[in-house]
């Protein structure tokens, strides 16, 4: 049974920081590309950051570059999104996802978490 369980969302003032966590089933964590997506009301889900351990490849969206970091803790099978200097436009539901291809397109990801809400105001 594949599980991706996010946590760490919440409300924060502009300029603040949050750390999102995504606990992942072991066999997914070790062999899949992992990504973070976000979706604001009335907008499409968009990639924020992604990482593939196999090639040590990382993607970070231009809109969050220098403020967000994607990280992994292999001992805990956990993916993180470290967010700092948060802006109101970072508000949205954040999802972690796992797929066979490192991609900015959600349709390339096979498994999704339930999402965690981030509100910056």
């Amino acid at each position: 049974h594949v599980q991706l369980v996010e946590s760490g969302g919440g409300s924060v003032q502009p300029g603040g920081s949050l750390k999102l966590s995504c606990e992942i089933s072991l066999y997914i964590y070790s062999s899949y590309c992992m990504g973070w997506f976000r979706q604001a009301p009335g907008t499409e889900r968009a990639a924020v950051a992604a990482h593939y351990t196999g090639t040590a490849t990382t993607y970070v969206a231009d809109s969050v570059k220098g403020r967000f970091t994607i990280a992994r803790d292999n001992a805990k099978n956990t993916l993180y999104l470290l967010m700092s200097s948060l802006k109101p436009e970072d508000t949205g539901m954040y999802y972690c996802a796992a797929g066979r291809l490192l991609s900015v397109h959600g349709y390339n990801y096979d498994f999704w978490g339930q999402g965690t809400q981030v509100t910056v105001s």
Side-chain angles (χ1 to χ4, degrees):
H1 179 62
V2 176
Q3 280 192 309
L4 288 79
V5 181
E6 299 108 330
S7 60
S11 296
V12 63
Q13 293 183 343
S17 300
L18 282 175
K19 178 181 178 181
L20 305 185
S21 301
C22 178
E23 188 173 349
I24 305 159
S25 302
L26 176 60
Y27 85 94
I28 292 291
Y29 178 87
S30 59
S31 59
Y32 277 58
C33 303
M34 302 301 306
W36 286 99
F37 288 73
R38 71 182 177 193
Q39 185 169 23
T43 69
E44 293 189 357
R45 194 174 299 186
V48 175
H51 178 75
Y52 178 49
T53 295
T55 58
T57 303
T58 299
Y59 162 82
V60 180
D62 287 341
S63 60
V64 303
K65 199 165 289 183
R67 301 187 298 119
F68 289 14
T69 302
I70 187 170
R72 302 171 71 136
D73 185 333
N74 295 333
K76 297 181 179 179
N77 298 342
T78 301
L79 180 75
Y80 299 103
L81 185 66
L82 310 175
M83 306 186 293
S84 62
S85 301
L86 283 160
K87 304 176 181 180
E89 52 263 43
D90 295 319
T91 294
M93 187 69 79
Y94 283 70
Y95 301 88
C96 70
R100 290 291 191 180
L101 181 67
L102 187 71
S103 172
V104 299
H105 301 295
Y107 56 73
N108 284 318
Y109 290 79
D110 303 308
F111 305 104
W112 293 83
Q114 81 286 355
T116 186
Q117 178 68 35
V118 171
T119 303
V120 185
S121 64

